[in-house]
Amino acid sequence: MYQNEAVLDGEVGPDVQERQSSVGDITEERSVPSLTYGVSDKSFATVPLTGEGVVVRSYTKSPHYLPLAIIALFLNLPLGLPAVACACVSRARRQRGQEDGANTTGKAAFWLSVIGIVTSLVICIFVIVYFFVMTPNIIRNIEGIT
């Protein structure tokens, strides 16, 4: 059973088992475990449980930032390549249901992408300023000296 999974008819979580064992074997009353049991991440949303014997999983999918990482790959190869790798790992972990690992590698992909894009923009601005502002001034000063 997954960490964020509850079975309505059959297995119950340890919190319900503990309550049942303290009261004794009562077959008339059944407790329904909540989806918030054992959830350590705030990206999970709680949904009322309905139906019998239905496995209910409720969570919001963590973003993998693959499109942003691909943009970073084209703008800055040294930071874009690890960003794409982290985004692919995040996507694979999300598909396997490992939300904590997907969140961690997704955040790494996001920050690598952002740093790569910002670094590329700063370098582009510096190159533009250098060639269109500083170089003509340097050439004028050299011509003025001779």
Side-chain angles (χ1 to χ4, degrees):
M1 187 160 58
Y2 292 104
Q3 179 182 9
N4 58 336
E5 187 174 282
V7 178
L8 295 180
D9 195 25
E11 294 182 26
V12 291
D15 58 339
V16 177
Q17 290 175 354
E18 185 176 305
R19 276 187 265 141
Q20 287 177 347
S21 65
S22 65
V23 175
D25 291 335
I26 299 174
T27 55
E28 293 91 29
E29 292 184 31
R30 284 194 289 168
S31 299
V32 178
S34 66
L35 284 176
T36 57
Y37 172 75
V39 176
S40 62
D41 190 7
K42 293 183 180 180
S43 67
F44 292 94
T46 58
V47 175
L49 301 174
T50 58
E52 287 206 17
V54 177
V55 176
V56 178
R57 283 190 218 158
S58 176
Y59 58 88
T60 57
K61 291 185 177 182
S62 59
H64 51 77
Y65 299 108
L66 187 59
L68 184 66
I70 291 173
I71 293 170
L73 178 67
F74 287 118
L75 294 176
N76 190 341
L77 185 66
L79 289 174
L81 197 59
V84 169
C86 286
C88 290
V89 169
S90 174
R91 187 171 177 221
R93 285 184 177 177
R94 184 180 72 178
Q95 289 174 348
R96 284 182 291 190
Q98 299 173 348
E99 286 297 316
D100 291 336
N103 285 335
T104 304
T105 53
K107 287 178 185 177
F110 174 77
W111 284 111
L112 284 169
S113 301
V114 167
I115 292 170
I117 291 170
V118 168
T119 304
S120 298
L121 291 176
V122 167
I123 290 172
C124 286
I125 290 171
F126 176 76
V127 168
I128 290 170
V129 167
Y130 181 78
F131 281 113
F132 291 110
V133 175
M134 294 177 70
T135 304
N137 288 336
I138 293 171
I139 293 173
R140 262 189 246 122
N141 287 338
I142 292 174
E143 289 174 354
I145 293 174
T146 58

